[in-house]
mmCIF file with all atom_site columns, all heavy atoms in Angstrom:
data_model
loop_
_atom_site.group_PDB
_atom_site.id
_atom_site.type_symbol
_atom_site.label_atom_id
_atom_site.label_alt_id
_atom_site.label_comp_id
_atom_site.label_asym_id
_atom_site.label_entity_id
_atom_site.label_seq_id
_atom_site.pdbx_PDB_ins_code
_atom_site.Cartn_x
_atom_site.Cartn_y
_atom_site.Cartn_z
_atom_site.occupancy
_atom_site.B_iso_or_equiv
_atom_site.pdbx_formal_charge
_atom_site.auth_seq_id
_atom_site.auth_comp_id
_atom_site.auth_asym_id
_atom_site.auth_atom_id
_atom_site.pdbx_PDB_model_num
ATOM 1  N N   . HIS A 1 480 ? 115.243 -74.694 13.960 1.00 97.00 ? 494 HIS A N   1
ATOM 2  C CA  . HIS A 1 480 ? 116.559 -75.340 13.920 1.00 97.00 ? 494 HIS A CA  1
ATOM 3  C C   . HIS A 1 480 ? 117.568 -74.527 14.687 1.00 97.00 ? 494 HIS A C   1
ATOM 4  O O   . HIS A 1 480 ? 117.782 -73.348 14.441 1.00 97.00 ? 494 HIS A O   1
ATOM 5  C CB  . HIS A 1 480 ? 117.006 -75.561 12.476 1.00 97.00 ? 494 HIS A CB  1
ATOM 6  C CG  . HIS A 1 480 ? 116.063 -76.471 11.740 1.00 97.00 ? 494 HIS A CG  1
ATOM 7  N ND1 . HIS A 1 480 ? 115.894 -77.794 12.096 1.00 97.00 ? 494 HIS A ND1 1
ATOM 8  C CD2 . HIS A 1 480 ? 115.214 -76.246 10.708 1.00 97.00 ? 494 HIS A CD2 1
ATOM 9  C CE1 . HIS A 1 480 ? 114.984 -78.341 11.299 1.00 97.00 ? 494 HIS A CE1 1
ATOM 10 N NE2 . HIS A 1 480 ? 114.547 -77.418 10.457 1.00 97.00 ? 494 HIS A NE2 1
ATOM 11 N N   . THR A 1 481 ? 118.189 -75.203 15.644 1.00 97.00 ? 495 THR A N   1
ATOM 12 C CA  . THR A 1 481 ? 119.182 -74.536 16.479 1.00 97.00 ? 495 THR A CA  1
ATOM 13 C C   . THR A 1 481 ? 120.204 -75.590 16.871 1.00 97.00 ? 495 THR A C   1
ATOM 14 O O   . THR A 1 481 ? 120.191 -76.695 16.332 1.00 97.00 ? 495 THR A O   1
ATOM 15 C CB  . THR A 1 481 ? 118.497 -73.912 17.717 1.00 97.00 ? 495 THR A CB  1
ATOM 16 O OG1 . THR A 1 481 ? 119.453 -73.189 18.457 1.00 97.00 ? 495 THR A OG1 1
ATOM 17 C CG2 . THR A 1 481 ? 117.857 -74.977 18.596 1.00 97.00 ? 495 THR A CG2 1
ATOM 18 N N   . THR A 1 482 ? 121.089 -75.211 17.757 1.00 96.00 ? 496 THR A N   1
ATOM 19 C CA  . THR A 1 482 ? 122.047 -76.211 18.217 1.00 96.00 ? 496 THR A CA  1
ATOM 20 C C   . THR A 1 482 ? 121.829 -76.449 19.691 1.00 96.00 ? 496 THR A C   1
ATOM 21 O O   . THR A 1 482 ? 121.409 -75.539 20.417 1.00 96.00 ? 496 THR A O   1
ATOM 22 C CB  . THR A 1 482 ? 123.501 -75.753 18.001 1.00 96.00 ? 496 THR A CB  1
ATOM 23 O OG1 . THR A 1 482 ? 123.636 -74.441 18.559 1.00 96.00 ? 496 THR A OG1 1
ATOM 24 C CG2 . THR A 1 482 ? 123.867 -75.725 16.531 1.00 96.00 ? 496 THR A CG2 1
ATOM 25 N N   . CYS A 1 483 ? 122.117 -77.657 20.117 1.00 97.00 ? 497 CYS A N   1
ATOM 26 C CA  . CYS A 1 483 ? 121.915 -78.002 21.516 1.00 97.00 ? 497 CYS A CA  1
ATOM 27 C C   . CYS A 1 483 ? 122.939 -77.257 22.364 1.00 97.00 ? 497 CYS A C   1
ATOM 28 O O   . CYS A 1 483 ? 124.137 -77.316 22.083 1.00 97.00 ? 497 CYS A O   1
ATOM 29 C CB  . CYS A 1 483 ? 122.070 -79.506 21.709 1.00 97.00 ? 497 CYS A CB  1
ATOM 30 S SG  . CYS A 1 483 ? 122.064 -79.981 23.447 1.00 97.00 ? 497 CYS A SG  1
ATOM 31 N N   . PRO A 1 484 ? 122.495 -76.563 23.391 1.00 96.00 ? 498 PRO A N   1
ATOM 32 C CA  . PRO A 1 484 ? 123.430 -75.816 24.229 1.00 96.00 ? 498 PRO A CA  1
ATOM 33 C C   . PRO A 1 484 ? 124.416 -76.728 24.954 1.00 96.00 ? 498 PRO A C   1
ATOM 34 O O   . PRO A 1 484 ? 125.481 -76.276 25.355 1.00 96.00 ? 498 PRO A O   1
ATOM 35 C CB  . PRO A 1 484 ? 122.519 -75.114 25.247 1.00 96.00 ? 498 PRO A CB  1
ATOM 36 C CG  . PRO A 1 484 ? 121.144 -75.217 24.716 1.00 96.00 ? 498 PRO A CG  1
ATOM 37 C CD  . PRO A 1 484 ? 121.104 -76.419 23.821 1.00 96.00 ? 498 PRO A CD  1
ATOM 38 N N   . ARG A 1 485 ? 124.078 -77.993 25.075 1.00 96.00 ? 499 ARG A N   1
ATOM 39 C CA  . ARG A 1 485 ? 124.970 -78.910 25.810 1.00 96.00 ? 499 ARG A CA  1
ATOM 40 C C   . ARG A 1 485 ? 125.990 -79.548 24.876 1.00 96.00 ? 499 ARG A C   1
ATOM 41 O O   . ARG A 1 485 ? 127.180 -79.481 25.124 1.00 96.00 ? 499 ARG A O   1
ATOM 42 C CB  . ARG A 1 485 ? 124.157 -80.026 26.477 1.00 96.00 ? 499 ARG A CB  1
ATOM 43 C CG  . ARG A 1 485 ? 123.336 -79.496 27.640 1.00 96.00 ? 499 ARG A CG  1
ATOM 44 C CD  . ARG A 1 485 ? 123.248 -80.481 28.790 1.00 96.00 ? 499 ARG A CD  1
ATOM 45 N NE  . ARG A 1 485 ? 122.371 -79.891 29.804 1.00 96.00 ? 499 ARG A NE  1
ATOM 46 C CZ  . ARG A 1 485 ? 121.197 -80.394 30.137 1.00 96.00 ? 499 ARG A CZ  1
ATOM 47 N NH1 . ARG A 1 485 ? 120.794 -81.536 29.628 1.00 96.00 ? 499 ARG A NH1 1
ATOM 48 N NH2 . ARG A 1 485 ? 120.460 -79.775 31.036 1.00 96.00 ? 499 ARG A NH2 1
#
Side-chain angles (χ1 to χ4, degrees):
Chain A
H494 298 295
T495 184
T496 51
C497 172
R499 289 216 183 114

